[in-house]
């Protein structure tokens, strides 16, 4: 009954899309929130990074405030994880959670999360890139297939990612992945299931 997303035959497959643990307000286990729709951008700016932190925290609060006791059991914020791509971003999330009085939510980097599971994972995809759009740290990049797979399979019920979909696919093109279209498939699924979100503030930027 776990919504475990696995690679098989170059595709992102779900073992149990009809999970009984799905948050009633989620509609589908995979969500994507656009922090930017700039097709020309090749580097993540500081403002883009802050924007992703803001969007992730808004959605953490949304799902925590509507915690589904029947599906997820007693409210336990340590069952929620925010994944950051850098230690600086991790510190930013931790500081913002503290300032908002949200206690218990885990904030981890990609390598911190291995071997652990959570009801929901919120992933910020902002990462340092070179001028050509390639990752400065490909072994820790969410666009690397193994890092991507680790992040997705650590969630029991819900995955919410924030980022620029065009930049993600550009970074992914530079990666030497056996499965080269992880993000394209993820985003496609979100579009099909109407869990691809473009905040009004993103539309106007």
């Amino acid at each position: 009954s776990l919504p475990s997303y696995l690679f098989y035959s170059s595709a992102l497959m779900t073992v149990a899309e009809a999970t009984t643990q799905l948050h009633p307000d989620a509609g589908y286990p995979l969500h994507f929130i656009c922090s930017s729709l700039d097709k020309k951008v090749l580097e993540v700016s500081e403002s883009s990074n802050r924007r992703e932190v803001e969007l992730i925290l808004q959605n953490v609060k949304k799902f925590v405030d509507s915690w589904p006791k029947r599906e997820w059991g007693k409210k336990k914020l340590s069952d929620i994880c925010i994944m950051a791509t850098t230690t600086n971003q991790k510190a930013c999330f931790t500081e913002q959670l503290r300032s908002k009085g949200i206690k218990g939510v885990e904030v981890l980097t990609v390598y911190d999360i291995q071997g652990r599971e959570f009801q929901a994972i919120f992933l910020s995809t902002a990462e340092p890139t070179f001028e050509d759009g390639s990752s400065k740290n490909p072994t820790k990049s969410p666009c690397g297939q193994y890092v991507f797979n680790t992040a997705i399979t650590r969630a029991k019920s819900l995955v919410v990612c924030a980022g620029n979909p065009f930049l993600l696919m550009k970074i992914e093109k530079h990666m030497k992945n056996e499965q080269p279209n992880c993000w394209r498939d993820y985003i496609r699924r979100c579009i099909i299931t109407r869990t691809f979100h473009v905040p009004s503030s993103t539309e106007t930027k």
Side-chain angles (χ1 to χ4, degrees):
S1 63
L2 305 182
S4 180
Y5 298 91
L6 305 173
F7 292 101
Y8 184 72
S9 299
S10 301
L12 186 65
M13 305 298 290
T14 176
V15 173
E17 290 189 352
T19 173
T20 57
Q21 292 180 317
L22 181 64
H23 193 298
D25 295 341
Y28 187 70
L30 303 178
H31 285 238
F32 190 91
I33 307 162
C34 295
S35 58
S36 171
L37 287 172
D38 188 342
K39 296 181 179 180
K40 296 180 181 179
V41 67
L42 293 175
E43 295 181 274
V44 175
S45 65
E46 183 59 32
S47 61
S48 296
N49 192 27
R50 289 195 301 270
R51 175 69 175 149
E52 286 194 23
V53 170
E54 175 189 342
L55 289 172
I56 289 289
L57 291 178
Q58 286 175 1
N59 278 269
V60 167
K61 187 176 187 306
K62 169 187 170 182
F63 285 106
V64 165
D65 286 350
S66 57
W67 188 281
K69 188 174 181 180
R70 187 178 71 174
E71 290 82 4
W72 289 6
K74 184 179 178 180
K75 184 183 284 190
K76 184 180 176 184
L77 294 193
S78 58
D79 276 344
I80 303 295
C81 177
I82 295 174
M83 286 187 63
T85 55
T86 65
T87 54
N88 286 340
Q89 192 184 56
K90 177 181 177 180
C92 184
F93 274 118
T94 301
E95 180 183 346
Q96 288 296 313
L97 286 169
R98 187 184 301 114
S99 69
K100 295 177 185 298
I102 303 174
K103 299 179 180 179
V105 173
E106 295 267 11
V107 183
L108 304 173
T109 59
V110 170
Y111 285 104
D112 294 330
I113 202 171
Q114 294 203 32
R116 302 184 64 182
E117 282 190 330
F118 299 88
Q119 285 289 357
I121 285 180
F122 297 80
L123 171 62
S124 174
T125 63
E127 64 169 307
T129 55
F130 291 108
E131 292 181 358
D132 64 352
S134 60
S135 174
K136 287 187 176 180
N137 197 344
T139 61
K140 295 183 180 179
S141 170
C143 292
Q145 68 183 63
Y146 299 113
V147 173
F148 176 89
N149 193 32
T150 297
I152 299 303
T153 57
R154 296 301 91 198
K156 297 178 183 179
S157 308
L158 177 69
V159 179
V160 179
C161 298
N164 179 329
F166 300 108
L167 180 57
L168 279 172
M169 289 186 281
K170 285 176 185 176
I171 297 172
E172 192 170 46
K173 280 186 177 180
H174 288 279
M175 307 292 288
K176 296 179 180 179
N177 293 334
E178 293 176 13
Q179 273 64 341
N181 300 311
C182 299
W183 279 110
R184 187 178 70 176
D185 193 24
Y186 183 103
I187 291 166
R188 178 183 63 81
R189 285 170 178 263
C190 291
I191 291 172
I192 291 171
T193 57
R194 298 184 179 181
T195 55
F196 182 86
H197 310 287
V198 183
S200 57
S201 53
T202 299
E203 290 179 341
T204 58
K205 290 182 182 295

